[in-house]
Amino acid sequence: MKNLTMPYQEGLDFGLGVDSATGNRRQQGADGTPEKVLAGISGGDGSFSLVRIEDTHELETHLGISAEASGGAGPFSASARFDFAKDSKVQSNSTTLLMMCTKSFGFTQIRKPTLDAEAAKLVATGNAELFAERYGDYFVAGIESGGQFFGIIKIEYASESDKTNISAKVAGSYGLFSAQVSMNLSSAIKDTHSQVTASLYYQGGNVSTAVKTPDDLFTAKSEWESTVLTSAKPYSVLLLPWVVADGPLPPNAADLQHQKDVLVACAKLRSQTLDKLNSIEYVLDSNSQSFFQFKPGDGDRLSKLHADLSLDADIIEQAASFAIDNAKLAVEPETYARTIKAMTDYHIHVLLPSDLPPLVAGTQIAPNLIGMTLASLDQLRIVYNDISGDDIGGQYFDDVRNLLGGYTDQDNVLVPIHSASQIVVAAQEPAAGTLIPVGSPVTVGFNFAPGVS
């Protein structure tokens, strides 16, 4: 059995037993004096870095909660870090950036752990099964203190052109995070019409800023960095198998390894399914539907796909729960659905369809035309229609003859009664500030300028 590392959870302490399948605490069973390794460190180590996250599994790995990172220890236990990863909603139509830092002020461990008197009695009587029930299969041998900071910046694109532009601009920001990177990132983000949000998870240190925007996150970073030394907290624990402290091997070691293999598979499938759900939910969201080119029937098709993926997520959770309760009978989700749930034709959705609605080619903000003169419209790079639907881009006197009041004959030359500078925009649709596809028309209504009759 190998050593495991998992994020610290409230209530964990040196010598406490742990059920590695769930991360749940058990009874105190090991004795020994905790000793600090690398004692005397005052400033801690670690620096801020910025990385791009491609999927939920990658985010979970950085957070230390992936099944592989923890060796299967508690991938389905209640976890604030997992909630943070889930709420970050990583999906393919966005760029997700993770700013992270770990400040370590030393590692404390029990150098020579031994069983306490009560645990030793069970070992002496050979009652390995009761030992496993009381103390689990691992115990807390070490605790890392200091703090960890994880900040998410998510850019959800309004168009394919925004996606291309912003991806290119932020590409040079990855790596060590600095004041210059912060300025470059803020400048790049402000050039996009896309939706930009930020969120934060940290252990140790203090942050009073409510984080909603990237600028909020940068402020929170400075707060955390200046307080983590004086407000250090445990953030990671080392788990060792009981045999290290002269305890017994689990009576069903082979079953437990099979259980962990199944839980690791479930954890991977859960992350992949969350990514798919996030992508579909983003396309269907009323706040982002205008960013995509929908065909007739796409809405119903995507709603059904979302329901199917939600079923996948439920089956995965149920299979994991069954594995935790039945180590020897643990099976992966598809087998669980077919044999335990009698869903004989059930299949996990491995891939999303290739014909999902694509992002629009490009978008722009509809400008405020109210009060502009007819003469000035040809200076704007957008197609405008008058209230009758006629194109007026440069063909003013022919297309809006009625608006100009007709023509009068002056020395055998037709001259409009009113000039284009006397006609102003009185109404427009869509309204100013609306995000619209490049090249789409804006319908305008005209009236005479004040004082013109």
Side-chain angles (χ1 to χ4, degrees), residues 7 46 56 87-88 176-177 180 192 197 215 233 272 298 320 331 345 349 358 381 394 403 416 432 439 445 448:
T56 298
D87 293 342
S88 296
L176 290 179
F177 191 82
Q180 184 61 48
T192 178
T197 57
D215 287 341
K233 292 182 180 179
Q272 295 166 7
D298 275 348
V331 289
D345 296 327
H349 291 75
R381 296 179 179 178
L403 287 172
F448 293 119

Side-chain angles (χ1 to χ4, degrees), residues 411-435:
D411 299 326
N412 296 321
V413 177
L414 290 176
V415 177
I417 296 174
H418 297 102
S419 71
S421 62
Q422 294 176 305
I423 307 297
V424 298
V425 177
Q428 72 175 77
E429 178 66 34
T434 304
L435 195 65

Side-chain angles (χ1 to χ4, degrees), residues 390-411:
D390 295 326
D391 181 16
I392 58 171
Q395 303 267 336
Y396 297 144
F397 299 140
D398 291 337
D399 293 339
V400 291
R401 183 184 308 240
N402 292 333
L403 287 172
L404 296 172
Y407 291 80
T408 180
D409 186 354
Q410 295 183 9
D411 299 326

Side-chain angles (χ1 to χ4, degrees), residues 158-191:
S159 69
E160 191 64 43
S161 58
D162 264 354
K163 183 176 182 179
T164 301
N165 292 338
I166 197 69
S167 294
K169 289 179 180 178
V170 303
S173 300
Y174 308 141
L176 290 179
F177 191 82
S178 64
Q180 184 61 48
V181 170
S182 174
M183 291 177 59
N184 293 345
L185 190 58
S186 295
S187 175
I189 288 172
K190 288 175 182 176
D191 289 339

Side-chain angles (χ1 to χ4, degrees), residues 241-315:
W242 278 110
V243 67
V244 173
D246 294 328
L249 284 169
N252 53 347
D255 292 343
L256 290 178
Q257 184 57 54
H258 170 66
Q259 177 194 57
K260 288 181 181 179
D261 291 342
V262 170
L263 289 175
V264 167
C266 288
K268 290 180 178 179
L269 282 173
R270 178 179 63 181
S271 300
Q272 295 166 7
T273 301
L274 283 177
D275 289 339
K276 297 181 184 74
L277 276 170
N278 293 339
S279 293
I280 299 303
E281 288 172 358
Y282 180 62
V283 176
L284 289 174
D285 192 314
S286 59
N287 294 318
S288 51
Q289 278 192 14
S290 61
F291 302 160
F292 296 89
Q293 301 176 42
F294 276 76
K295 303 188 302 293
D298 275 348
D300 291 340
R301 182 169 63 96
L302 293 179
S303 294
K304 182 181 182 306
L305 178 57
H306 184 273
D308 291 342
L309 290 169
S310 297
L311 175 61
D312 286 350
D314 289 342
I315 291 294

Side-chain angles (χ1 to χ4, degrees), residues 333-362:
E334 277 195 358
T335 303
Y336 169 81
R338 294 173 187 171
T339 59
I340 307 300
K341 303 287 288 185
M343 302 167 63
T344 54
D345 296 327
Y346 176 78
H347 292 280
I348 290 279
H349 291 75
V350 178
L351 298 172
L352 286 177
S354 59
D355 59 343
L356 293 179
L359 284 166
V360 297

Side-chain angles (χ1 to χ4, degrees), residues 75 81 178 206 226 268 276 307 321 326 332 369 374 376-377 404 446 452:
R81 293 192 187 212
S178 64
N206 294 306
S226 65
K268 290 180 178 179
K276 297 181 184 74
S321 179
N326 304 273
E332 295 190 18
L369 305 179
L374 184 62
S376 62
L377 289 183
L404 296 172
F446 294 96
V452 177

Side-chain angles (χ1 to χ4, degrees), residues 99-138:
M99 184 166 63
M100 57 185 176
C101 181
T102 295
K103 292 282 188 179
S104 176
F105 303 125
F107 174 69
T108 304
Q109 67 175 353
I110 303 174
R111 287 187 182 274
K112 294 183 178 181
T114 59
L115 295 180
D116 67 16
E118 292 298 319
K121 286 181 183 179
L122 285 181
V123 175
T125 61
N127 198 337
E129 290 187 2
L130 182 56
F131 184 96
E133 289 179 11
R134 289 184 180 177
Y135 301 105
D137 52 335
Y138 279 77

